Amino acid sequence: MIDEEFPVASARLATWIQRYREGLRRRPVAPTTTPGAVRAMLPAAAPEQPESLTAIIEDLDRVISPHLLHWQHPSFFGYFPANADLASVLGDMVSGGLGVQGMLWSTSPACTELEMHMMDWCADLLGLPGQFKSSGAGGGVIQDTASSAALCALVAARERASDGAMNARGIGAGAGGRPLAVYASSQAHSSIEKAVRIAGLGSASMRRIDVDDSLSMRSHELARAMRRDQEDGIVPCFVVATVGSTSTMAMDDLASTAKLCRQFGAWLHVDAALAGCAAICPELRALHDGLEGADSYCTNPHKWLGVNFDCDLFYVRDRSALVGALGIEPEYLKNAATASGEVIDYRDWQVPLGRRFRALKLWFLLRLQGAEALRGRVRASCGLAQWLVARLAELPHIEVLSPQRLGLVCLRHRDGEQATAGLLAAINASGKAFVTHTRVPWPGSGSQASCTLRVSIGNPYTLQSDLEGILHLLASAG
Ligand code: PLP
């Protein structure tokens, strides 16, 4: 495509996107695509000659959009939301158009400095403790996902704990090659164990700590596990506290976890992938109580605040620990700005070298929407979840997991596993809504986990009437 066509072509695509969004309520939320069906509609080889944009738009209508799970659909209640506000999409378009690489400050100063500034804006908007602001020893960086944030935090913790010592495989270890251990509740996200594997600690170093009736990590169990490891010559290295678990939005107690981390010299990482976004509302900030004891923290505005995927805010108390672990400087990247020590080079804060200009989408969203609108969408989701819980109380065959938190409602059929699984299948087959499931040890059932439906509300376009579809299906299963 010649550059002069870009304004018209992009306007056509913008119109297509806007119409797709506008028409979502008329579509079933989930596709009925069979494996291989999409590839069967695609030509076997890439085109040798240019095709028209019209042909591509026709294929968006024929090949792509009918075969999507519509994440922006107002009746999408699966997983956690991934809201992509079009204000943020505009910023991402600029990022693509500028095509800059922000690996070093010198490879595009505006890319680094806007990101530093957005991280500080967001720290203030979320009421985060001052240790995470760039004015001190800490600071923030945009990662792609919470998984990457956990991995970077763990590698920094591993290097801090090892202080140069290595095990027989050349991986950071405690003094004299002592093994390192990682702790998280049984409800923590699977990305933590993945990080443990990638960081070379091995799954055997992962300790899954038992939870109480509200599915929060039991502090005394954590203390016991760390003490036992210490007695066995294993170094307690890294603890993850979850604020808003994926299954049920369970909250770990940050203050008591931080106290134990201080006592045992372990790094505390707080994973608030979805729930941290709620802290934009001052009245919901209690979920961060005790966060000042954390070494690192992350939350995903790409989940609940409308930044289009991917955008994870990752903060550290001591940026030198992170840079010490991930920094590496080959000759071809040396430059005067880095040598001056006056700049941040974000390549040292993440796994890859190259990096996109992600701060633009956050900047566009915050400027075109304003923080008050983002607070409004969090409050609206929580209000809808409370409304749903009140309506579910009218259905004697449905049990809701208590306490219900933020925009997530967890429920099961009182007739047991099969009936609950049947509800999941019926809701998703209806096309009127999409929900996902988990397995949870409900209070009173010991460690026995049972099938649980999650109705995850977070789309700003969702209305009470969109929840009626689910209510109707749940009622008819009585
Ligand atoms: N942590 C929690 C608590 C989550 O709920 C999720 C995903 O839903 C993740 C981590 C992983 O998120 P990401 O896709 O950003 O890696």
Side-chain angles (χ1 to χ4, degrees):
M1 188 205 294
I2 54 171
D3 291 0
E4 291 75 32
E5 288 174 6
F6 184 74
V8 172
S10 57
R12 281 184 74 191
L13 281 178
T15 304
W16 186 88
I17 292 169
Q18 191 272 333
R19 288 198 181 136
Y20 163 78
R21 300 271 188 130
E22 197 180 51
L24 277 174
R25 267 201 187 83
R26 291 190 292 278
R27 292 180 186 251
V29 190
T32 50
T33 313
T34 49
V38 175
R39 289 200 68 179
M41 287 186 273
L42 296 168
E48 290 292 338
Q49 300 302 324
E51 295 184 39
S52 68
L53 184 61
T54 301
I56 299 175
I57 291 177
E58 278 167 12
D59 280 352
L60 287 178
D61 286 325
R62 185 181 66 91
V63 184
I64 304 298
S65 62
H67 301 285
L68 297 176
L69 173 59
H70 300 293
W71 284 70
Q72 307 307 314
H73 197 298
S75 294
F76 177 95
F77 304 117
Y79 310 103
F80 276 144
N83 298 325
D85 194 289
L86 291 180
S88 147
V89 172
L90 288 177
D92 219 10
M93 181 173 150
V94 176
S95 167
L98 293 177
V100 302
Q101 252 273 23
M103 55 197 182
L104 306 170
W105 178 89
S106 63
T107 60
S108 274
C111 184
T112 296
E113 295 197 13
L114 185 70
E115 185 160 334
M116 288 173 71
H117 211 69
M118 289 306 100
M119 294 304 292
D120 281 347
W121 271 13
C122 288
D124 288 339
L125 282 175
L126 300 175
L128 300 183
Q131 76 231 27
F132 295 136
K133 297 282 290 283
S134 63
S135 47
V141 60
I142 303 180
Q143 298 277 349
D144 53 2
T145 58
S147 303
S148 296
L151 175 61
C152 292
L154 174 55
V155 172
R158 187 191 70 193
E159 295 310 294
R160 188 178 80 173
S162 63
D163 199 19
M166 287 184 198
N167 65 17
R169 289 178 294 136
I171 294 168
R178 287 161 65 205
L180 307 176
V182 173
Y183 310 79
S185 97
S186 60
Q187 301 299 303
H189 192 262
S190 56
S191 54
I192 308 306
E193 180 158 352
K194 195 172 189 175
V196 168
R197 290 193 212 166
I198 298 171
L201 271 62
S203 293
S205 64
M206 177 88 216
R207 315 280 184 258
R208 287 289 195 169
I209 307 298
D210 199 10
V211 290
D212 62 20
D213 273 356
S214 57
L215 304 175
S216 312
M217 182 155 63
R218 288 184 195 272
S219 291
H220 66 272
E221 291 290 347
L222 174 63
R224 196 154 60 179
M226 292 169 103
R227 202 171 309 114
R228 197 170 41 222
D229 277 335
Q230 214 172 40
E231 285 163 9
D232 291 347
I234 297 169
V235 180
C237 168
F238 188 67
V239 178
V240 178
T242 306
V243 172
S245 67
T246 317
S247 280
T248 65
M249 200 68 74
M251 307 275 173
D252 291 339
D253 179 343
L254 300 187
S256 64
T257 311
K259 195 167 160 214
L260 287 171
C261 288
R262 264 195 310 279
Q263 187 184 332
F264 287 91
W267 180 295
L268 173 58
H269 175 66
V270 175
D271 176 6
L274 173 108
C277 297
I280 197 166
C281 300
E283 73 277 15
L284 296 174
R285 266 182 209 156
L287 54 83
H288 280 159
D289 281 354
L291 186 58
E292 55 285 352
D295 293 286
S296 56
Y297 167 84
C298 77
T299 190
N300 289 0
H302 70 229
K303 283 184 160 49
W304 206 359
L305 294 182
V307 183
N308 65 298
F309 188 83
D310 49 355
C311 181
D312 167 89
L313 307 179
F314 174 52
Y315 293 94
V316 287
R317 168 197 292 279
D318 174 13
R319 59 178 176 263
S320 68
L322 188 64
V323 172
L326 298 175
I328 185 158
E329 193 180 40
E331 185 58 35
Y332 43 81
L333 294 179
K334 287 188 175 155
N335 65 87
T338 300
S340 76
E342 284 177 30
V343 301
I344 274 185
D345 291 325
Y346 272 133
R347 56 144 198 192
D348 295 335
W349 295 51
Q350 59 174 24
V351 173
L353 167 64
R355 58 198 329 272
R356 306 195 300 117
F357 199 164
R358 289 198 192 91
L360 280 169
K361 54 189 176 183
L362 196 49
W363 195 43
F364 269 61
L365 178 81
L366 291 171
R367 294 185 69 182
L368 288 171
Q369 295 285 17
E372 201 44 43
L374 304 188
R375 286 185 198 106
R377 65 174 62 182
V378 167
R379 288 176 183 136
S381 306
C382 296
L384 283 171
Q386 283 157 15
W387 176 84
L388 180 64
V389 169
R391 294 290 307 275
L392 288 171
E394 297 160 14
L395 305 181
H397 57 287
I398 298 294
E399 186 183 2
V400 174
L401 185 71
S402 168
Q404 175 270 324
R405 294 190 178 101
L406 301 176
L408 183 65
V409 179
C410 294
L411 58 97
R412 64 181 176 180
H413 198 298
R414 288 190 197 273
D415 286 352
E417 297 285 286
Q418 269 193 343
T420 306
L423 276 176
L424 174 73
I427 291 170
N428 290 345
S430 77
K432 293 199 177 79
F434 178 79
V435 295
T436 50
H437 81 289
T438 186
R439 285 200 163 270
V440 181
W442 284 58
S445 55
S447 56
Q448 189 82 21
S450 53
C451 182
T452 303
L453 295 199
R454 299 167 69 265
V455 183
S456 168
I457 302 169
N459 183 317
Y461 294 99
T462 301
L463 304 171
Q464 277 182 8
S465 51
D466 295 306
L467 289 164
E468 295 284 359
I470 285 199
L471 275 167
H472 182 73
L473 288 159
L474 292 173
S476 56

